[in-house]
Amino acid sequence: MNFYGQRVLPAVRKMRDLELLLKSQFQYLVLLDIHISQLMNIVQLARSSQKKMLIHADLIHGLKNDEYAIEFLCQTIKPAGVISTKSAAIATAKKNNVLAIQRHFLLDTTALETTYKLTEKVKPDFIEVLPGVMPHIIAEMKEQLGIPILAGGLIRTVDEVEQALQAGAVAVTTSRRDIWSHY
């Protein structure tokens, strides 16, 4: 799966951004920082505009991110995918046949080694690495893991997007409108 050639996955933080993106050519959107009471309406609105939502489960206010929450998301909300830092959440999403994206914060060598171990154990569909401004690490991870990589966090320019993509990321997640408009 390659998001149908979509190289940037816009990350929605505000309703204004969602309204803009519903009119865009982007098919996949990442939903961040949302209150649980708005979730169903937002996903339905996105579907009515032929958009597919990747929901960051860790950032849904009012929802405890555990296996039961992921079951609820997968069976009731029915997103295209679930993003989480939690291995149990990723495993539950996979069991429910929902795209499972495990997010990893690469702070140091220990975090990188832990990412390798967890990825081998959980086998998510994708991993998202943050910060995404580390092309050499993206290239290393792609070679070592063989799992598609998304790059996110601290990517501020089109050049940084291109560097992440050239290093092997299949797409970049970003909330920066100027980058959306470029792609």
Side-chain angles (χ1 to χ4, degrees):
M1 154 140 226
N2 64 3
F3 303 104
Y4 301 102
Q6 188 174 321
R7 299 169 60 191
V8 168
L9 300 173
V12 178
R13 291 189 180 277
K14 301 175 184 149
M15 287 305 290
R16 283 187 312 236
D17 292 339
L18 180 63
E19 291 167 5
L20 173 73
L21 289 166
L22 290 178
K23 299 172 191 167
S24 75
Q25 81 282 4
F26 294 111
Q27 185 175 7
Y28 285 88
L29 308 175
V30 177
L31 189 58
L32 308 172
D33 295 326
I34 195 72
H35 190 278
I36 191 170
S37 66
Q38 300 172 308
L39 188 58
M40 181 64 87
N41 289 336
I42 288 173
V43 172
Q44 288 175 343
L45 183 62
R47 271 194 200 108
S48 70
S49 296
Q50 288 73 50
K51 305 298 181 191
K52 296 180 182 191
M53 299 303 289
L54 305 171
I55 298 176
H56 195 310
D58 302 354
L59 299 177
I60 299 173
H61 304 289
L63 185 71
K64 181 180 178 186
N65 187 9
D66 60 13
E67 294 93 312
Y68 300 110
I70 302 303
E71 291 263 343
F72 165 77
L73 287 175
C74 294
Q75 295 175 10
T76 304
I77 305 297
K78 300 177 182 173
V82 170
I83 302 170
S84 180
T85 59
K86 300 182 184 318
S87 295
I90 296 305
T92 303
K94 286 183 65 87
K95 285 180 196 170
N96 282 275
N97 297 314
V98 171
L99 193 64
I101 303 167
Q102 187 154 20
R103 182 181 251 198
H104 292 282
F105 294 98
L106 302 178
L107 306 173
D108 56 21
T109 301
T110 301
L112 181 61
E113 291 169 0
T114 300
T115 296
Y116 287 143
K117 289 176 189 170
L118 285 174
T119 302
E120 290 297 324
K121 180 180 177 186
V122 178
K123 297 190 183 346
D125 299 309
F126 289 84
I127 58 173
E128 181 185 23
V129 298
L130 289 93
V133 289
M134 303 179 300
H136 63 290
I137 297 295
I138 292 169
E140 174 187 317
M141 293 180 78
K142 179 183 179 196
E143 184 177 321
Q144 176 111 4
L145 296 172
I147 290 179
I149 297 172
L150 304 176
L154 298 178
I155 295 176
R156 296 181 178 154
T157 67
V158 170
D159 185 51
E160 289 170 339
V161 170
E162 291 301 321
Q163 288 176 33
L165 295 171
Q166 289 171 6
V170 296
V172 170
T173 60
T174 182
S175 59
R176 295 188 63 97
R177 283 184 174 205
D178 56 326
I179 292 176
W180 303 345
S181 65
H182 182 80
Y183 290 90

